[in-house]
Amino acid sequence: MDQPAALLVTELPPDFARWDELLALILRAFAYMDGVIDPPSSAHLLTPEGLRRKAGQETAFLAVENGQIVGCVFALERAKDFYVGKLAVEPSLQGRGIGGRLMQAVEDLARRHGKYVIELQTRIELIANHAAFARLGFRETGRTAHAGYDRPTSITMRKVLS
């Protein structure tokens, strides 16, 4: 798994203004879920302004290669852990370790804040995601249903950091 030589993973800068570009990346990265998961991804509800607000409440990391945003992740600090969401990697660059580097940035953030657990949710139907998160050290801790569903729609996964 070759890592891009020019890849930089950094916290979203305070003066960030490329919200349209970031939203387009998330939508491209989540597009494979369309018609696969039910209910549809909440990514479809995002707007550039909504992303800006999200970044004001959470810590966001970007993966940038040669000036292009090729990945992102958002981390929400909670009382005892960090919740990870909207992990996105440019589809043509997946499998190169970018997602792993973004998740490592979240782990480092959690440790700096004295938190040793990170949690995320992945959809029931996305078997490959379950395996990818398991390879990163996440374990299933529960299943939940979106409002209006009488069956589990999401899997909660947690990683205890050492």
Side-chain angles (χ1 to χ4, degrees), residues 43-96:
H44 293 293
L45 304 175
L46 290 174
T47 63
E49 177 58 26
L51 274 177
R52 188 188 65 72
R53 282 193 307 273
K54 184 175 180 62
Q57 299 166 347
E58 303 178 28
T59 302
F61 292 95
L62 298 177
V64 180
E65 186 175 31
N66 301 321
Q68 296 299 311
I69 300 171
V70 297
C72 70
V73 68
F74 286 78
L76 174 66
E77 184 172 9
R78 303 189 300 194
K80 296 182 180 179
D81 63 12
F82 271 84
Y83 179 80
V84 179
K86 297 301 178 264
L87 173 64
V89 174
E90 185 66 50
S92 65
L93 300 176
Q94 291 175 2
R96 294 175 60 189

Side-chain angles (χ1 to χ4, degrees), residues 128-140:
N129 286 11
H130 310 168
F133 290 126
R135 284 191 300 276
L136 291 175
F138 285 83
R139 299 294 172 252
E140 180 178 336

Side-chain angles (χ1 to χ4, degrees), residues 101-120:
R101 298 236 347 240
L102 287 162
M103 292 300 283
Q104 184 61 56
V106 172
E107 290 182 25
D108 294 344
L109 172 72
R111 286 185 186 95
R112 285 194 307 273
H113 285 253
K115 308 258 167 76
Y116 294 94
V117 174
I118 55 177
E119 184 175 275
L120 56 81

